Amino acid sequence: MAAVMRLVNRSTLKPKMGHQCLAFSCSAAVAKAVGGSASKNLPERVKIVEVGPRDGLQNEKTIVPAETKIHLIDMLSDSGLPVIEATSFVSPKWVPQMADQVEVMKGISRKPGVSYPVLTPNLKGFQAAVKAGATEVAIFGAASELFSKKNINCSVDESLQRFEEVMKAAKEANVPVRGYVSCVLGCPYEGKVAPGKVAHVAKRLYSMGCYEISLGDTIGVGTPGGMTEMLEAVSREVPVSALAVHCHDTYGQALANILIALQMGISVVDSSVAGLGGCPYAQGASGNVATEDVVYMMHGLGIHTGVDLSKLMDAGAFICRSLNRKTNSKVAQATCKL
Amino acid sequence: MGNIPTTVKHCLSYEQLIRDYPWLKRLLLEEKSIAAHEYPEFVKVVEVGPRDGLQNEKEIVPTGVKIQLIDMLSGTGLPVIEATSFVSSKWVPQMADHTDVLKGIQRAPHVQYPVLTPNMHGFQDAVAAGATEVAVFGSASETFSRKNINCSIEESMLRFEEVISAAKEHQIPVRGYVSCALGCPHEGYIEPSKVAEVAKRLYEMGCYEVSLGDTIGVGTPGSMAKMLRSVMEDVPSSALAVHCHDTYGQALANILIALQMGVCVVDSAVAGLGGCPYAQGSSGNVSTEDVLYMLHGMGIETGVDLAKVIEVGDFICNALCRKTNSRVAQARGRTSGHALL
């Protein structure tokens, strides 16, 4: 019966569908799987989590003034994106780009229905975030011990303990928490990362109370093979509806990896407008996958995102002008010149 | 069955499902193979850099450089390298040195060096220059056909029939191309059935393989799947190739879906040579390096040495004074190399 349920679960059935439709949809879903259609049951809707203002800008060399950040976030809000990671409450000593965290948080015009999560690496950051008006936060774990030590100066277990404090405070304050796992497909120091380790960290974060776990290919080395293996391991521990993928395009593999993730039932994808943010481990190489390119693919697949691609491209053009750099988005490059 | 949601228990039971769908029992035993994607064990990578790539580069590349490029590519393990094009130099000045190039290269054993031959005149020149494989280019779009080769699709097919007939006499295999398979810069959307019609014509005429080209890179995995389903009704997947352009960043995702559907031949260009003549400054061909990285990462054999291809890419980019379009080359060039590969 478990096998039947796996077939059913991979279908387009969603829990919110009335159960009177269930019998028809179940057989339809089974028939679709049998048909061996190459569209392989893609989600109808995908939630795009825009990380440009935080993950993107954090990896840009030029320090961007607060008002530019605010204007960027406001333009992104206008494009229909449902989640926009606004800033990070880390110490400005570590991440000078995010020193204006409070000003940005207070300065943005929050669109109703849009979430503006902020990073909070510890309790201190969490408290500052809530004080500045944050209504959603995010915490960052790593699937690699070495990366954890080098990046946040403690072991994976120690970081999870810190996060327990944040989780507790967040629960009391009724603030939802998103968890990130970095190095899910490879680590710049350790090389290969075992899918089991990724699953272990993802499960810990989920059990602690994170409503969603974003699995990050931090150095973009993953390919569809590794992505499949890793997602299989993680989805045995965390329901697929609570998973997101955060693919870097450093080796050009991001869209292929995202496609495989969609085929495996993932329906939340992180990306960065204009592909902002290089890779700190490969000088001059690209980092985050470009939101424009992701949205183009989604819409081409008939998947609903709620995003207006041309408004998104306007936001991308704006931030590239401000940073005096070219876009990393191929869609933006192609469309501008036609 | 304790873990089954209540709603499912109410709607159906396992026993009822099996009664209604007797094949289901068999299916459940095979569930593993449906769940997992099946990929080819081996993919043939057709390198089009020296022809399709260079053809779309503005700078005229000296013959010596072209020859060196092809010779370096011959040493990487690539099984097919499209060497040049026997078109009139009036139309494509970059390929004016076609005879010198074909005569000048050092042919590696087990490597094919197809050349484009748009008509009988070109075919005869190609044979005189030593060609042992040729290619013909059809289009799924009437407007593109007229603007690109100055005749209708039907007229082009008649020309190709001549070429293929002559090629048969010489025992020279012919590869067919269909351009605008996922969209046309002039007509926009192209019906998959039209692509299928042209592909079928080329295949039945005698092309051993038909390469389906997303000429302006507008395709996505959705349109790729739809088009391939249509074409595969008339042409076996074993005779198909995909030629994806990366103008909108979709190439690798499109290639992935094609592999899932049984295609096992992929065209690409070293360093992503060749821009898009329809979107100034944009990229064109997908990079061979990025394709190889994906295939090897998936455990698919190609016989090609990625590190050597990166070197070739470096060489031609230096010669052209341009940056590579390959993300893999960009990443590798700037770092000591991530531990994984």
Side-chain angles (χ1 to χ4, degrees):
Chain A
M1 194 59 189
V4 175
M5 287 318 298
R6 276 199 293 279
L7 275 176
V8 170
N9 285 338
R10 267 202 307 281
S11 78
T12 50
L13 279 174
K14 297 276 187 256
K16 60 181 184 279
M17 280 174 72
H19 74 261
Q20 61 270 27
C21 308
L22 206 67
F24 169 77
S25 302
C26 177
S27 58
V30 170
K32 208 170 173 185
V34 171
S37 148
S39 54
K40 302 238 192 269
N41 297 331
L42 296 173
E44 279 173 12
R45 309 181 94 86
V46 161
K47 178 174 83 174
I48 305 235
V49 174
E50 172 59 46
V51 301
R54 201 280 310 164
D55 192 5
L57 290 183
Q58 189 168 301
N59 285 304
E60 292 288 329
K61 288 190 188 145
T62 321
I63 300 286
V64 173
E67 44 185 67
T68 307
K69 288 183 178 118
I70 289 166
H71 191 54
L72 171 65
I73 293 169
D74 288 349
M75 287 184 85
L76 291 168
S77 295
D78 203 36
S79 70
L81 286 157
V83 185
I84 301 164
E85 204 176 56
T87 186
S88 179
F89 283 79
V90 289
S91 159
K93 246 188 340 180
W94 292 108
V95 187
Q97 180 75 274
M98 300 284 130
D100 53 9
Q101 57 210 202
V102 177
E103 199 184 334
V104 168
M105 208 58 213
K106 290 188 168 172
I108 56 175
S109 302
R110 295 187 193 224
K111 193 172 176 199
V114 181
S115 281
Y116 299 91
V118 300
L119 247 66
T120 53
N122 49 39
L123 193 55
K124 182 165 167 226
F126 176 79
Q127 286 157 348
V130 170
K131 196 165 164 207
T135 49
E136 183 178 325
V137 301
I139 55 180
F140 251 86
S144 150
E145 283 295 346
L146 266 177
F147 188 84
S148 189
K149 288 215 160 57
K150 294 218 179 207
N151 207 37
I152 53 175
N153 219 14
C154 64
S155 72
V156 172
D157 269 336
E158 282 164 352
S159 72
L160 291 172
Q161 274 165 23
R162 272 186 214 171
F163 299 147
E164 299 245 18
E165 290 188 307
V166 174
M167 291 304 313
K168 192 162 167 237
K171 268 183 198 144
E172 284 169 20
N174 241 342
V175 171
V177 183
R178 188 185 207 231
Y180 280 88
V181 184
S182 36
C183 296
V184 301
L185 295 176
C187 168
Y189 312 107
E190 286 185 11
K192 269 201 100 157
V193 174
K197 180 79 183 178
V198 182
H200 169 76
V201 179
K203 184 177 184 176
R204 278 291 294 275
L205 289 168
Y206 186 67
S207 316
M208 266 198 254
C210 291
Y211 76 91
E212 193 169 89
I213 312 294
S214 174
L215 306 164
D217 181 12
T218 306
I219 48 172
V221 288
T223 60
M227 174 64 88
T228 305
E229 221 191 345
M230 184 275 295
L231 285 178
E232 271 172 358
V234 176
S235 59
R236 276 184 228 129
E237 308 289 347
V238 180
V240 109
S241 55
L243 293 175
V245 289
H246 182 112
C247 298
H248 277 202
D249 205 35
T250 318
Y251 288 77
Q253 309 295 305
L255 285 191
N257 290 341
I258 289 169
L259 180 63
I260 273 280
L262 295 178
Q263 290 177 339
M264 293 180 76
I266 303 285
S267 56
V268 184
V269 175
D270 298 1
S271 59
S272 174
V273 63
L276 286 181
C279 180
Y281 306 97
Q283 279 288 323
S286 56
N288 285 299
V289 67
T291 308
E292 298 92 317
D293 299 1
V294 172
V295 169
Y296 184 93
M297 182 171 82
M298 299 292 164
H299 292 181
L301 283 165
I303 293 173
H304 185 264
T305 63
V307 179
D308 180 331
L309 181 54
S310 63
K311 285 187 176 169
L312 178 64
M313 291 203 291
D314 286 344
F318 161 74
I319 193 62
C320 287
R321 270 195 313 271
S322 313
L323 287 166
N324 199 23
R325 59 159 280 177
K326 282 189 181 164
T327 181
N328 266 338
S329 155
K330 295 235 170 153
V331 169
Q333 283 166 22
T335 324
C336 287
K337 312 281 198 283
L338 276 172
Chain B
M1 291 216 350
N3 58 342
I4 306 305
T6 327
T7 43
V8 178
K9 275 189 208 162
H10 284 155
C11 284
L12 49 86
S13 67
Y14 177 71
E15 290 79 16
Q16 188 181 337
L17 263 181
I18 296 293
R19 264 200 304 276
D20 290 347
Y21 306 102
W23 44 259
L24 189 56
K25 205 167 183 180
R26 220 177 34 248
L27 169 71
L28 291 173
L29 293 172
E30 292 160 354
E31 191 234 323
K32 199 173 176 203
S33 66
I34 291 176
H37 296 292
E38 285 181 11
Y39 295 104
E41 280 177 10
F42 180 89
V43 162
K44 178 173 84 174
V45 177
V46 174
E47 172 59 44
V48 301
R51 201 280 308 166
D52 192 7
L54 292 184
Q55 188 168 301
N56 284 303
E57 292 287 330
K58 288 187 191 148
E59 294 245 345
I60 300 288
V61 176
T63 308
V65 171
K66 286 182 181 122
I67 289 170
Q68 195 179 349
L69 170 66
I70 295 169
D71 287 347
M72 287 180 83
L73 289 167
S74 295
T76 63
L78 282 159
V80 185
I81 301 164
E82 204 177 56
T84 187
S85 179
F86 284 79
V87 289
S88 158
S89 50
K90 247 190 338 183
W91 291 108
V92 187
Q94 180 76 273
M95 300 285 130
D97 54 4
H98 39 63
T99 302
D100 289 338
V101 167
L102 201 50
K103 288 187 167 170
I105 57 173
Q106 307 216 1
R107 296 182 191 229
H110 314 300
V111 181
Q112 296 300 321
Y113 300 90
V115 299
L116 248 67
T117 51
N119 48 39
M120 271 309 286
H121 181 66
F123 176 77
Q124 284 153 353
D125 285 350
V127 172
T132 49
E133 184 177 321
V134 299
V136 294
F137 249 86
S139 168
S141 153
E142 277 295 348
T143 316
F144 189 83
S145 189
R146 280 181 205 282
K147 293 209 179 219
N148 206 38
I149 52 174
N150 221 14
C151 64
S152 70
I153 297 176
E154 185 56 37
E155 283 163 349
S156 72
M157 292 294 137
L158 295 173
R159 276 185 209 171
F160 301 150
E161 265 181 10
E162 282 189 298
V163 171
I164 293 173
S165 180
K168 271 185 194 142
E169 284 169 26
H170 284 84
Q171 289 190 325
I172 288 178
V174 183
R175 190 187 207 227
Y177 280 88
V178 183
S179 41
C180 297
L182 296 177
C184 169
H186 315 292
E187 286 184 20
Y189 177 72
I190 297 290
E191 282 291 343
S193 56
K194 187 70 190 179
V195 183
E197 190 189 308
V198 178
K200 182 182 179 180
R201 232 5 234 283
L202 289 168
Y203 184 65
E204 287 175 350
M205 269 199 262
C207 292
Y208 76 91
E209 193 169 271
V210 179
S211 173
L212 306 164
D214 182 12
T215 306
I216 49 170
V218 288
T220 60
S223 54
M224 172 64 87
K226 213 171 153 196
M227 184 273 293
L228 283 177
R229 268 198 294 276
S230 189
V231 173
M232 284 181 187
E233 280 171 26
D234 297 309
V235 183
S237 62
S238 54
L240 290 175
V242 287
H243 182 111
C244 297
H245 278 202
D246 203 35
T247 319
Y248 288 77
Q250 309 294 305
L252 284 191
N254 291 344
I255 290 168
L256 182 66
I257 212 114
L259 296 176
Q260 289 176 354
M261 292 178 74
V263 173
C264 50
V265 184
V266 175
D267 298 359
S268 59
V270 62
L273 285 180
C276 180
Y278 304 97
Q280 278 289 322
S282 306
S283 57
N285 285 299
V286 68
S287 308
T288 303
E289 298 92 317
D290 299 2
V291 170
L292 290 173
Y293 185 94
M294 181 174 82
L295 296 174
H296 294 175
M298 292 167 70
I300 295 172
E301 300 270 350
T302 62
V304 186
D305 183 333
L306 172 55
K308 287 188 175 164
V309 177
I310 294 176
E311 275 172 27
V312 182
D314 284 344
F315 159 74
I316 192 62
C317 288
N318 279 335
L320 288 168
C321 293
R322 59 158 282 176
K323 284 188 182 171
T324 180
N325 268 337
S326 156
R327 295 253 206 238
V328 169
Q330 282 164 21
R332 287 293 189 80
R334 308 276 195 263
T335 180
S336 54
H338 297 136
L340 292 169
L341 294 167

